[in-house]
Amino acid sequence: MYADQETVRRILTESGDTWAVVGLSGNTARAAYGVAGVLQRFGKRVVPVHPKAETVHGEKGYATLADVPFPVDVVDVFVNSQLAGKVADEAVEIGAKAVWFQLDVVDVSAYERTRDAGLEMVMDRCPAIEIPKLG
């Protein structure tokens, strides 16, 4: 319902290749770490955004989206649903083109606000699952 296949395709192929991954740290056991690696293998620049601001997958990390000193195309959100709306609002503020809420991250109000602001959005899906389907 919150991720038609055409929107998924557009975000993965047309929205740009700089992806801020919010919640990405150096913890290799976390899903964000593995998904970021898949995104890199498919040509995306992954920008870690986490309070620790760690370098992950060879990319310098930043504590917040506002700290990233260059344009971000897509904001991939790996925080829990209660925090995700704030991140979506920050994505709008920094001028991102799209927001992607990971599996089990659902905030209908944030989805509506983000879409109303003119951004593409996918909710409750994983780009690491979707991107290989594109061929």
Side-chain angles (χ1 to χ4, degrees), residues 16-101:
D17 291 331
T18 302
W19 284 53
V21 181
V22 178
L24 175 59
S25 70
N27 183 344
T28 60
R30 303 289 301 201
Y33 189 90
V35 170
V38 170
L39 289 169
Q40 277 189 327
R41 285 193 295 282
F42 279 89
K44 306 300 182 190
R45 179 183 185 188
V46 171
V47 181
V49 177
H50 188 281
K52 293 180 182 179
E54 299 173 292
T55 295
V56 183
H57 292 299
E59 290 284 348
K60 178 180 174 11
Y62 299 90
T64 69
L65 282 173
D67 293 337
V68 179
F70 47 82
V72 168
D73 299 312
V74 180
V75 176
D76 189 5
V77 182
F78 274 94
V79 300
N80 68 48
S81 297
Q82 291 79 7
L83 302 175
K86 181 178 184 297
V87 175
D89 295 339
E90 291 169 359
V92 171
E93 289 172 19
I94 66 162
K97 297 174 189 168
V99 175
W100 192 298
F101 279 10

Side-chain angles (χ1 to χ4, degrees), residues 6 13 16 22 38 56 58 75 77 81-83 88 95 102 105 107-108 111 120 130:
E6 182 57 25
T13 63
V22 178
V38 170
V56 183
V75 176
V77 182
S81 297
Q82 291 79 7
L83 302 175
Q102 284 293 325
V105 179
D107 181 331
V108 175
Y111 178 88
E120 297 259 41
E130 300 300 329

